[in-house]
Amino acid sequence: MILDNENGLLLMRHDGLEERTWRSDTCYKLIFSYFGRGAYQTHSGDLSIEKDEFFIFNPEIDHKQLSVTQEKFLVEIQPSLLREAAERMGIKQAEPEFALISYKHPQVRQWVSFIRDFLSIHELSGSISGQFFLDNSLTQLSILMLQFGPGSHMNTFPAVKCEANINLVLTALRESYNEDWTLDQMAMVARMNKYQFAHMFKSELGVSPYSWLQLYRLFRSQYSLLNTHESILSIALQHGFKSVSSYNQLFKKVYRKTPGEFRRFNGLKK
DNA sequence: CATAGGTCACGCATACGTAG
DNA sequence: CTACGTATGCGTGACCTATG
């Protein structure tokens, strides 16, 4: 099952899952795992997704699929379309760069679920109505990606609706993200056993508690990075990182770039 | 017996200092 | 900014325990 036109492409297939060639596309590429897990490789590290999680490849990123279970679901979007959506949504970042992390979001899951059901009932390949459906879907997904896909265009972490006691923790973390936290403290806020808490947190958000906090710090720090000329060190310290080296390391993992490179690539020109 | 809820141990990812 | 080395403590599969 494949639908494509000049704006992008929608692909869903249950066979030919063993493809293992290097690809480098000019488009943004969302990969969603509806069933089990998927693994991908880039020149600077591997990525894996569990059920219901997704990640987004930025244009021109070399990548290779390592494995997929049961079903491959991916959508490609041309930068021009995403740029237009960003503009209409009032996002300043002209060419958003998405974080290379797997993430879970209920609304993205719902969207994928809807598209899957629709496509499995209607045979649309090559038809006029298929094109119409595709264009609309791509626009919708662009909006979702910009809204919920963590990346350079955000200075916070995407909002999610989840369990009440998890929400307590998220609120507390957002308020004092630049302070020290341990898993025990978070669990205390949630009034839960720390093991239960960690499990629940992970299943709700697709990210484990401490990683969430780290990522939140990183996204909050982006604004200063892109809009001020403060030193990397002071930005790192202000946002709760204890050293530049851990800040650098996290940045490398998320964007495959160091903070300096990220600033030069996305930031305001002097 | 099946299912859900709770707990834990320990491998390994991460934090962070030092040196280059 | 990168490349280590080390200590810390997080994450999670696997195991218990209650419940029906």
Side-chain angles (χ1 to χ4, degrees), chain A residues 118-132:
Chain A
F118 192 87
L119 292 180
S120 63
I121 297 169
H122 306 280
E123 183 45 59
L124 291 172
S125 297
S127 68
I128 302 286
S129 61
Q131 292 295 309
F132 185 49

Side-chain angles (χ1 to χ4, degrees), chain A residues 176-203:
Chain A
S176 44
Y177 69 95
N178 48 5
E179 286 166 25
D180 286 351
W181 283 87
T182 65
L183 200 57
D184 291 285
Q185 289 173 303
M186 295 186 207
M188 206 180 289
V189 174
R191 293 177 197 162
M192 291 169 84
N193 171 297
K194 80 167 166 182
Y195 307 110
Q196 272 177 278
F197 169 71
H199 274 116
M200 188 167 184
F201 194 100
K202 169 87 186 188
S203 75

Side-chain angles (χ1 to χ4, degrees), chain A residues 73-124:
Chain A
F73 187 97
L74 71 86
V75 185
E76 294 183 0
I77 292 183
Q78 285 302 326
S80 55
L81 183 67
L82 197 83
R83 216 176 295 139
E84 191 194 329
E87 199 175 307
R88 290 205 186 177
M89 289 168 71
I91 292 168
K92 285 185 192 149
Q93 206 74 46
E95 306 231 356
E97 183 176 12
F98 290 96
L100 277 169
I101 51 173
S102 52
Y103 190 55
K104 193 187 250 188
H105 198 286
Q107 282 185 270
V108 173
R109 203 208 101 91
Q110 278 171 21
W111 183 84
V112 172
S113 173
F114 168 77
I115 298 287
R116 286 183 76 253
D117 289 350
F118 192 87
L119 292 180
S120 63
I121 297 169
H122 306 280
E123 183 45 59
L124 291 172

Side-chain angles (χ1 to χ4, degrees), chain A residues 37-270:
Chain A
R37 49 173 54 202
Y40 286 77
Q41 183 182 15
T42 72
H43 288 309
S44 42
D46 291 359
L47 271 169
S48 65
I49 35 174
E50 300 293 325
K51 180 172 155 47
D52 291 341
E53 296 177 356
F54 69 92
F55 60 73
I56 300 166
F57 278 123
N58 294 301
E60 316 291 351
I61 295 271
D62 288 337
H63 60 275
K64 177 162 84 171
Q65 174 190 307
L66 293 177
S67 65
V68 181
T69 48
Q70 285 198 48
E71 176 182 287
K72 175 147 77 169
F73 187 97
L74 71 86
V75 185
E76 294 183 0
I77 292 183
Q78 285 302 326
S80 55
L81 183 67
L82 197 83
R83 216 176 295 139
E84 191 194 329
E87 199 175 307
R88 290 205 186 177
M89 289 168 71
I91 292 168
K92 285 185 192 149
Q93 206 74 46
E95 306 231 356
E97 183 176 12
F98 290 96
L100 277 169
I101 51 173
S102 52
Y103 190 55
K104 193 187 250 188
H105 198 286
Q107 282 185 270
V108 173
R109 203 208 101 91
Q110 278 171 21
W111 183 84
V112 172
S113 173
F114 168 77
I115 298 287
R116 286 183 76 253
D117 289 350
F118 192 87
L119 292 180
S120 63
I121 297 169
H122 306 280
E123 183 45 59
L124 291 172
S125 297
S127 68
I128 302 286
S129 61
Q131 292 295 309
F132 185 49
F133 181 80
L134 179 64
D135 271 329
N136 270 277
S137 305
L138 293 175
T139 307
Q140 276 194 8
L141 182 64
S142 300
I143 297 171
L144 287 176
M145 279 165 56
L146 290 166
Q147 199 84 261
F148 305 123
S152 65
H153 57 291
M154 296 202 157
N155 53 17
T156 175
F157 218 75
V160 198
K161 207 176 174 185
C162 56
E163 289 286 328
N165 26 3
I166 298 288
N167 253 329
L168 283 175
V169 178
L170 291 183
T171 314
L173 290 179
R174 286 199 188 94
E175 269 173 22
S176 44
Y177 69 95
N178 48 5
E179 286 166 25
D180 286 351
W181 283 87
T182 65
L183 200 57
D184 291 285
Q185 289 173 303
M186 295 186 207
M188 206 180 289
V189 174
R191 293 177 197 162
M192 291 169 84
N193 171 297
K194 80 167 166 182
Y195 307 110
Q196 272 177 278
F197 169 71
H199 274 116
M200 188 167 184
F201 194 100
K202 169 87 186 188
S203 75
E204 290 272 322
L205 295 155
V207 180
S208 36
Y210 203 79
S211 316
W212 189 93
L213 178 61
Q214 290 289 51
L215 290 167
Y216 185 74
R217 285 173 175 161
L218 185 138
F219 290 117
R220 289 297 295 262
S221 74
Q222 279 176 182
Y223 183 86
S224 314
L225 209 49
L226 299 182
N227 298 287
T228 71
H229 292 296
E230 285 179 73
S231 74
I232 308 272
L233 174 67
S234 78
I235 292 176
L237 295 178
Q238 271 174 43
H239 292 88
F241 295 93
K242 295 235 179 49
S243 73
V244 197
S245 62
S246 42
Y247 189 54
N248 285 340
Q249 224 177 323
L250 185 65
F251 239 94
K252 263 307 244 255
K253 187 180 149 199
V254 172
Y255 286 113
R256 309 288 140 113
K257 284 185 174 64
T258 59
E261 288 167 352
F262 181 80
R263 175 179 255 174
R264 263 169 267 133
F265 191 79
N266 292 306
L268 301 173
K269 310 291 174 250
K270 286 188 183 172

